[in-house]
Amino acid sequence: MNKEQEIRQRKLLRNWVITIGGFVVMQFIFVLIDGTFLEPNDGMLGNFANRIVEADWFVEWLIFYENPYFNIITVLAVLHIVFHGIKDLIRIRIWKKTAS
């Protein structure tokens, strides 16, 4: 393995540690804050976010927390991780093709 590949692997690993670590810290904070006086106000979500929160599929399937802010942020964070993973898998595949 050459120097460039090692640098790529370290950067990729560092990015994943930051992403997963940030997600875990965020979830830990949400668990601590959910149901207390520290959680944000539901009335300030806005029209688009309120329609998402009040949708049947959101209420039935995505109940992680009592606060809809936390539910929306968690869903967006999971989508970020999935898309980040797909991007990195494609990038690794391209790197392997060019290395061969």
Side-chain angles (χ1 to χ4, degrees), residues 1 13 17 26 28-29 37 50 55-56 59 69 79 86 88:
M1 191 177 331
L13 180 63
V17 167
M26 179 183 68
F28 183 70
I29 291 171
F37 69 96
N50 273 331
D56 291 336
V59 174
Y69 274 125
L79 288 175
I86 291 170
D88 284 345

Side-chain angles (χ1 to χ4, degrees), residues 71-82:
N71 289 331
I72 289 174
I73 292 171
T74 300
V75 168
L76 292 175
V78 168
L79 288 175
H80 167 75
I81 291 171
V82 168

Side-chain angles (χ1 to χ4, degrees), residues 19-78:
T19 300
I20 300 298
F23 181 76
V24 168
V25 168
M26 179 183 68
Q27 294 302 307
F28 183 70
I29 291 171
F30 286 175
V31 167
L32 290 177
I33 293 176
D34 194 37
T36 66
F37 69 96
L38 297 172
E39 66 185 9
N41 186 4
D42 297 355
M44 297 173 54
L45 276 175
N47 292 336
F48 181 71
N50 273 331
R51 281 187 273 141
I52 292 173
V53 170
E54 293 169 0
D56 291 336
W57 62 271
F58 194 84
V59 174
E60 292 175 10
W61 291 94
L62 301 173
I63 304 175
F64 304 117
Y65 304 103
E66 291 178 21
N67 191 314
Y69 274 125
F70 297 161
N71 289 331
I72 289 174
I73 292 171
T74 300
V75 168
L76 292 175
V78 168

